């Protein structure tokens, strides 16, 4: 379930960075059209693929329920961190991106 949580959080952060406001706030620049499209594609891809580890761990019935809970938890964490600690939100996404392969190998 950790892998699904990490993937959801990084996916939501990528979607967040695809907007002008949050990209400027976190990275101090305006995203180009190509970067915006890339961030959106990566964000939606990660959110979609994050279903796989949840379903693989506990089956379709329980896995989808747990995936919805992980999806809400990661979105809530990002929403609570952005106004007060935006740099921490960005650092957590980087740590989540680096920790995802470790979590993937731990589940095998």
């Amino acid at each position: 379930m950790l892998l699904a949580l990490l993937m959801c959080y990084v996916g939501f952060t990528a979607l967040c960075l695809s907007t002008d406001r949050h990209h400027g706030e976190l990275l101090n620049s305006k995203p180009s059209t190509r970067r915006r499209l890339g961030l959106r594609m990566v964000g939606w891809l990660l959110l979609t693929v994050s279903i796989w580890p949840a379903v693989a761990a506990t089956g379709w019935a329980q896995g989808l329920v747990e995936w919805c809970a992980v999806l809400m938890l990661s979105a809530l964490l990002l929403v609570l961190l952005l106004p007060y600690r935006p740099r921490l939100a960005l650092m957590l996404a980087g740590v989540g991106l680096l920790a995802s392969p470790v979590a993937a190998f731990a589940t095998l």
Side-chain angles (χ1 to χ4, degrees), residues 5-47:
L5 178 69
L6 294 173
M7 291 173 75
C8 286
Y9 185 79
V10 173
F12 277 128
T13 305
L15 287 174
C16 174
L17 286 174
S18 71
T19 63
D20 288 335
R21 177 181 177 193
H22 294 299
H23 195 281
E25 182 180 290
L26 294 173
L27 301 176
N28 297 324
S29 66
K30 187 175 180 181
S32 65
T33 306
R34 190 173 185 183
R35 179 179 282 184
R36 182 180 296 123
L37 181 63
L39 285 168
R40 281 185 189 157
M41 286 176 37
V42 166
W44 283 113
L45 181 70
L46 282 171
L47 289 177

Side-chain angles (χ1 to χ4, degrees), residues 2 6 9 17 24-25 28 33 35 39 45 47 56 61 65 70-71 79 83 89-90 95 97-98 100-101 107:
L2 177 64
L6 294 173
Y9 185 79
L17 286 174
E25 182 180 290
N28 297 324
T33 306
R35 179 179 282 184
L39 285 168
L45 181 70
L47 289 177
V65 173
V70 164
L71 200 66
V79 166
L90 191 61
V95 169
L97 191 62
L98 292 175
S100 291
T107 60

